[in-house]
Amino acid sequence: MRVLITGSGGMLGGAVYPAFVRAGHDVVSTDLVPRPAPGLPMGLLDVRDYGAVREAILANKPELILHLAAETDLERCETDRDHAYLTNAIGTQNVALVAAELGLPLVYISTAGVFDGTKGDEPYTEFDRPNPINVYGGSKYEGELIVQHTVARHFIVRAGWMVGGLERDHKFVAKVVSQLRDGAKTIHAVTDKLGTPTYTEDFAQNLLALVATPYYGLYHMTCEGAGSRLEVAQAILAYYGRTDVEVVPVTSDFFAKTYFAPRPRSEMMRNYALQLRGLNRMRPWPDALRAYLDQADFKL
């Protein structure tokens, strides 16, 4: 297929673009600020501009649109609500309107952040009702509703805690590795937030399998299992054999000044719809984490 991707410059785009190219698709890569990498040509596209979106889609004639573009910084969303909704809701509406006009299938990447985290010890499935507690989750959920109501052939795919991206990785794993690289002997990691890591490479491969089917709808796509930030940090130190570094359990209050946006207690998700369809190819998160660290070969 000819595929157009928005938001290719992010962590997920760094895995999705090459995966689709390797699979034989003709891929057009776009982002708000082109950040070309080896083998990754990228065009400029601001999804907040309806005219630009329509022009890009008409010019490139894709058979499938992968809408990855989003504002994912929770603190930025919390302090600039207009920016969050303009990017995540209106930007999504722009893409959805053109997809609907042209009869194109659309993939929309969403988040575990649409849930309020009060379910308890059970992971969320696609049949649980969203109830976002922060601006980021609210804006992404509005994007889901827009896609559902606008595009007949759609895949809405929710990811969890993102892992991967190499040089694009600014998330938790990269931050822990960065602290180790800087000589830290103590790593603080929270115990009161639970989630399901999502390795970008596994996500991209499973997404390839999903879009090859006619099973449009809502899906969770995370690695198997769940854990706390503390458990992820402990797994990273174990991988490197860093018994000289102490992982100190803390609550979210420890980081409240930096990460002030409210976050759900639990963002654990189960790939229930994928499992029922026989399409779940996501590995357990400890295996995926080790694979990522193998690939990244971070120099400590």
Side-chain angles (χ1 to χ4, degrees):
M1 291 185 291
R2 186 163 175 80
V3 180
L4 185 142
I5 307 178
T6 71
S8 286
M11 285 179 64
L12 189 54
V16 169
Y17 174 85
F20 273 71
V21 170
R22 289 193 300 267
H25 298 295
D26 180 12
V27 184
V28 177
S29 175
T30 72
D31 200 272
L32 175 63
V33 180
R35 289 165 281 190
L40 180 57
M42 194 178 301
L44 179 67
L45 179 60
D46 184 349
V47 298
R48 299 169 298 183
D49 182 339
Y50 172 79
V53 169
R54 191 171 188 275
E55 180 180 354
I57 294 174
L58 287 173
N60 288 288
K61 298 180 172 60
E63 299 165 85
L64 173 70
I65 301 172
L66 305 180
H67 180 42
L68 278 57
E71 177 56 72
T72 61
D73 185 323
L74 270 68
E75 276 61 48
R76 171 112 192 247
C77 289
E78 209 65 25
T79 56
D80 192 346
R81 184 184 184 90
D82 289 354
H83 168 72
Y85 275 87
L86 180 59
T87 305
N88 295 339
I90 300 304
T92 297
Q93 185 180 46
N94 290 338
V95 178
L97 286 170
V98 180
E101 175 191 351
L102 301 178
L104 300 174
L106 172 65
V107 176
Y108 172 67
I109 306 303
S110 192
T111 172
V114 300
F115 296 112
D116 61 16
T118 62
K119 186 176 180 180
D121 295 329
E122 290 294 317
Y124 285 98
T125 76
E126 295 85 345
F127 303 106
D128 288 312
R129 186 179 299 276
N131 183 36
I133 63 171
N134 56 41
V135 174
Y136 168 67
S139 64
K140 290 296 291 182
Y141 183 48
E142 289 302 322
E144 287 190 10
L145 296 176
I146 288 166
V147 170
Q148 287 176 7
H149 296 146
T150 307
V151 184
R153 293 186 293 160
H154 67 260
F155 296 99
I156 295 170
V157 186
R158 294 178 182 146
W161 293 347
M162 202 62 73
V163 176
L166 298 177
E167 71 279 356
R168 293 181 177 86
D169 189 349
H170 303 294
K171 300 292 186 180
F172 181 74
V173 172
K175 289 178 179 178
V176 171
V177 172
S178 178
Q179 290 179 69
L180 294 176
R181 186 186 294 125
D182 292 342
K185 294 300 181 181
T186 301
I187 304 291
H188 295 89
V190 301
T191 61
D192 58 353
K193 297 290 187 292
L194 303 174
T196 311
T198 303
Y199 182 32
T200 56
E201 298 292 337
D202 286 14
F203 185 99
Q205 291 302 317
N206 213 149
L207 185 62
L208 270 168
L210 178 60
V211 300
T213 75
Y215 305 137
Y216 300 106
L218 172 65
Y219 294 88
H220 290 175
M221 194 175 286
T222 69
C223 288
E224 292 293 296
S228 66
R229 298 290 192 190
L230 176 69
E231 290 171 297
V232 175
Q234 289 171 332
I236 295 170
L237 266 63
Y239 172 87
Y240 289 113
R242 295 298 300 270
T243 56
D244 59 316
V245 178
E246 180 184 11
V247 181
V248 178
V250 296
T251 68
S252 299
D253 291 342
F254 185 85
F255 296 105
K257 287 186 178 179
T258 303
Y259 302 110
F260 52 82
R263 287 164 166 80
R265 185 194 72 85
S266 171
E267 295 180 273
M268 297 186 297
M269 294 196 303
R270 177 184 175 188
N271 303 335
Y272 194 33
L274 287 176
Q275 290 167 350
L276 293 175
R277 289 286 187 187
L279 290 169
N280 185 37
R281 302 185 180 183
M282 303 295 282
R283 288 179 285 184
W285 72 260
D287 296 344
L289 176 62
R290 286 191 293 270
Y292 172 47
L293 295 174
D294 283 342
Q295 177 199 25
D297 191 25
F298 290 119
K299 303 301 182 184
L300 300 185

